[in-house]
């Protein structure tokens, strides 16, 4: 009986002693211009538990994620639509009424501005041919810089 208790005690203490150690093939953290990428190859367990007010994430490499929400102006007189989505080459920005000095701004998901052009008619084509397949954000803004609407565009 004493041997069984001794063996259990050794196993439990060994598990507690090495609980914070990562055994992985590789891993690294890189940062540049306010962005950070961290990874570990071979993480044995990752889990996220959430309640109404708290989030607990288990894992060895965890980065900080900040999401900023911006309020957009909704102008019901000037309904805007973007189609087709997904698209292969062109996306069309269509207004119900003639727009008042608006601009579209095309961003990649990293937030880099790829293109910015003025909108002068009820239908404007956004040419995505020179960009790689992926997801882009098309933001429609007024001439004073206030956002009107943002669309997620998928290029295939």
């Amino acid at each position: 009986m004493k041997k069984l208790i001794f063996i259990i005690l050794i196993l439990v203490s060994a598990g507690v002693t090495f609980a914070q150690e990562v055994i992985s093939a590789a891993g690294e953290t890189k940062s540049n211009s306010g962005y950070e990428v961290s990874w570990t190859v071979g993480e044995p367990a990752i889990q996220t538990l959430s309640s109404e007010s708290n989030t607990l994430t288990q894992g060895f490499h965890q980065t900080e994620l900040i999401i900023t929400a911006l309020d957009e102006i909704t102008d019901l007189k000037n309904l805007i639509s973007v189609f087709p989505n997904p698209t292969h080459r062109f996306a069309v920005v269509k207004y119900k009424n003639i727009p008042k000095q608006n601009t579209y701004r095309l961003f990649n998901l990293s937030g880099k501005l790829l293109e910015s052009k003025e909108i002068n008619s009820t239908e404007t084509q956004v040419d995505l041919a020179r960009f790689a397949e992926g997801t882009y954000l098309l933001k429609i803004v007024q001439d004073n810089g206030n956002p009107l609407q943002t669309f997620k565009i998928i290029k295939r």
Side-chain angles (χ1 to χ4, degrees), residues 19 77 124:
K77 296 176 187 172
T124 303

Side-chain angles (χ1 to χ4, degrees), residues 1-155:
M1 182 69 174
K2 287 183 182 181
K3 286 183 181 181
L4 180 61
I5 294 173
F6 181 70
I7 291 173
I8 292 172
L9 185 62
I10 288 176
L11 291 174
V12 169
S13 65
V16 171
T17 305
F18 296 108
Q20 300 302 315
E21 185 174 326
V22 176
I23 300 172
S24 66
E28 198 167 344
T29 300
K30 296 282 187 183
S31 60
N32 185 5
S33 302
Y35 295 100
E36 183 176 304
V37 175
S38 297
W39 68 90
T40 301
V41 177
E43 290 184 15
I46 300 259
Q47 183 178 8
T48 300
L49 303 171
S50 297
S51 69
E52 290 181 25
S53 60
N54 298 315
T55 301
L56 174 65
T57 304
Q58 173 188 343
F60 301 106
H61 252 108
Q62 297 180 23
T63 59
E64 184 177 338
L65 177 64
I66 299 171
I67 299 174
T68 305
L70 300 175
D71 293 331
E72 294 183 351
I73 300 170
T74 55
D75 184 2
L76 299 177
K77 296 176 187 172
N78 219 3
L79 295 176
I80 307 168
S81 60
V82 174
F83 60 89
N85 198 7
T87 184
H88 295 287
R89 180 170 178 156
F90 291 105
V92 177
V93 179
K94 185 174 183 175
Y95 282 78
K96 183 178 178 184
N97 300 318
I98 297 174
K100 305 177 227 169
Q101 297 179 348
N102 292 337
T103 303
Y104 76 78
R105 295 179 184 165
L106 184 67
F107 296 91
N108 64 14
L109 289 183
S110 298
K112 180 180 178 186
L113 178 63
L114 304 174
E115 186 174 85
S116 179
K117 289 192 179 175
E118 192 173 314
I119 299 172
N120 296 319
S121 65
T122 56
E123 286 193 20
T124 303
Q125 282 190 345
V126 179
D127 189 1
L128 299 168
R130 66 176 194 234
F131 303 114
E133 291 184 357
T135 304
Y136 298 90
L137 298 176
L138 183 72
K139 182 177 258 187
I140 311 296
V141 295
Q142 295 175 333
D143 63 339
N144 60 6
N146 289 335
L148 284 175
Q149 200 165 353
T150 303
F151 297 91
K152 180 173 81 169
I153 298 177
I154 299 170
K155 181 186 178 202

